[in-house]
Amino acid sequence: MRLELRDLRKRFGDVAAVDGVSLDILDGEFFALLGPSGCGKTTLLRAIAGIVAPDGGQVVLGGEEITARPLHARNTAMVFQNYALFPHLTVADNVGFGLVMRGERKAAIRARVEEALALVRLPGLGARYPTQLSGGQQQRVALARALVVRPAVLLLDEPLSNLDARLRDEMRTEVREIQRQVGITTILVTHDLHEAFAMSDRLAVMNAGRVEQVGTPAEIYARPATRFVAEFTGDANHFDGRVTAVAEGVAVVSVAAGLTMRVAVGDARLAAGQPLSVMIRPERVRLGAGPGELPNGFPGVVEHATYLGALTNYRVRCGEARLLAQAQTLAAPAFRSGDHVLVEWGEHDCAVRA
């Protein structure tokens, strides 16, 4: 079901936890709220759920405003970070708790609990207690408890953060597959970039209570709207400079570090002398012994090389500039500290902001 947030606001004392957030989340979409601790993403999720009352704005679900509705009347369900399972209840009773509160018949509850446990790949474990389950199994029970009530919107508050790295990767895939199977509109809160990118159709990057950018993972990574978004979503090389010439969708930019580069600007209307910020992701920077083939090529010296298995990260000095580069370990020549290299990238490898 489609969910709209219209100028939603919430303050705690002098702090604007949610500061005029407007979002349009589509029916059946997996949407992530990504940002650092304290950026307002969890407060926003709780305002959607009805746990926190906003100071202003609207929450609209399926075309109907639900801003003032109590939690139990919103047709949403939440999976909490700590799962919030009742330790004294069996798995089946935990999953069926919401149905009991809704006054469902015992036979219907039993059937729907079995269906939900099968959906999360826990058939036959209804008689166990939460303490008898692994962390991944407890997470699935919490997910089943949320899904069994058939909500219009599923809310996930960092549900994988308590799992170890390998299990977290497995559960990302499983939760996403279950969401696709059910087709439910889902909102995930996370500070984990890889989690947001791997699971979401679209995401909003939040900072200090505001949304800085909304888009697909590919759009946000390749074309960040602000420096904060660029830095929060991965390593990046940043240059501030001025346009010296523009022709046929390509600008020549002179940057403060003493480099002059060519960058694709599309149909952006730029003029000579205009300030321009340029961002290049490390994997877009190529290192070689020369000769160069790309329009931006500069001599450099490797200052540091970090071997990471499949990848190798480099820090390279080009005149006054220091750049980050990343290469596939087996697909590129290996360089060591002190090696002289040619550093190059293409016009379309850059993202620009006026």
Side-chain angles (χ1 to χ4, degrees):
M1 190 173 289
R2 181 176 177 178
L3 177 70
E4 299 169 78
L5 307 181
R6 301 173 181 171
D7 192 28
L8 216 60
R9 286 168 276 115
K10 179 64 180 180
R11 299 186 69 89
F12 295 104
D14 295 332
V15 177
V18 178
D19 192 7
V21 171
S22 295
L23 292 171
D24 189 355
I25 300 166
L26 306 179
D27 182 24
E29 187 173 34
F30 198 118
F31 194 94
L33 300 173
L34 173 67
S37 297
C39 73
K41 57 188 186 296
T42 295
T43 300
L44 183 60
L45 193 77
R46 293 184 174 188
I48 295 169
I51 298 172
V52 168
D55 298 326
Q58 296 177 310
V59 179
V60 180
L61 180 60
E64 187 175 356
E65 185 181 353
I66 62 169
T67 314
R69 283 190 190 176
L71 184 151
H72 67 271
R74 293 202 172 208
N75 200 16
T76 63
M78 181 179 286
V79 176
F80 295 91
Q81 183 176 356
N82 63 357
Y83 315 140
L85 300 178
F86 300 113
H88 63 288
L89 297 182
T90 64
V91 166
D93 288 340
N94 265 284
V95 174
F97 184 80
L99 298 176
V100 173
M101 294 296 99
R102 286 165 170 77
E104 297 283 346
R105 294 174 179 266
K106 289 185 178 180
I109 293 173
R110 187 162 49 248
R112 284 172 62 175
V113 166
E114 291 177 358
E115 177 186 344
L117 288 176
L119 180 65
V120 299
R121 300 183 180 89
L122 291 177
L125 297 187
R128 294 191 185 182
Y129 287 86
T131 55
Q132 297 174 306
L133 303 178
S134 68
Q137 289 173 325
Q138 290 182 38
Q139 196 273 344
R140 293 184 202 180
V141 172
L143 182 60
R145 183 177 62 183
L147 291 173
V148 76
V149 297
R150 298 171 183 169
V153 177
L154 176 64
L155 306 174
L156 306 175
D157 186 9
E158 305 214 34
L160 309 182
S161 61
N162 291 330
L163 305 179
D164 62 56
R166 175 171 291 186
L167 185 55
R168 190 183 308 131
D169 288 343
E170 293 176 2
M171 290 307 301
R172 284 176 192 164
T173 302
E174 287 200 21
V175 171
R176 186 64 168 113
E177 288 179 352
I178 290 169
Q179 187 269 342
R180 285 195 180 108
Q181 184 177 344
V182 177
I184 187 173
T185 304
T186 301
I187 304 173
L188 167 73
V189 158
T190 182
H191 65 274
D192 188 310
L193 169 67
H194 301 294
E195 189 168 289
F197 277 13
M199 299 177 73
S200 66
D201 297 308
R202 289 189 305 145
L203 63 144
V205 181
M206 294 188 64
N207 180 32
R210 296 186 176 185
V211 171
E212 297 231 348
Q213 187 174 358
V214 177
T216 67
E219 289 169 347
I220 284 177
Y221 185 76
R223 294 289 181 266
T226 66
R227 183 157 182 159
F228 173 84
V229 173
E231 293 179 344
F232 193 78
T233 56
D235 291 330
N237 297 292
H238 296 279
F239 300 97
D240 293 322
R242 290 188 179 275
V243 176
T244 59
V246 184
E248 298 180 352
V250 175
V252 179
V253 183
S254 177
V255 302
L259 305 179
T260 298
M261 60 187 72
R262 294 171 58 86
V263 301
V265 294
D267 57 1
R269 295 184 178 181
L270 301 176
Q274 180 174 344
L276 197 69
S277 295
V278 180
M279 183 213 73
I280 310 156
R281 293 291 188 189
E283 67 273 15
R284 295 286 188 175
V285 178
R286 284 79 152 179
L287 301 184
E293 300 178 349
L294 298 175
N296 297 299
F298 309 95
V301 178
V302 175
E303 291 188 328
H304 190 72
T306 304
Y307 175 77
L308 299 173
L311 300 172
T312 300
N313 288 345
Y314 296 96
R315 187 174 67 240
V316 186
R317 187 181 73 253
C318 295
E320 298 178 15
R322 281 176 168 80
L323 295 92
L324 300 174
Q326 186 180 79
Q328 295 284 337
T329 300
L330 298 179
F335 297 103
R336 298 180 179 180
S337 298
D339 285 351
H340 289 262
V341 294
L342 178 69
V343 183
E344 57 179 349
W345 59 86
E347 296 165 344
H348 291 277
D349 290 325
C350 309
V352 298
R353 291 182 288 109

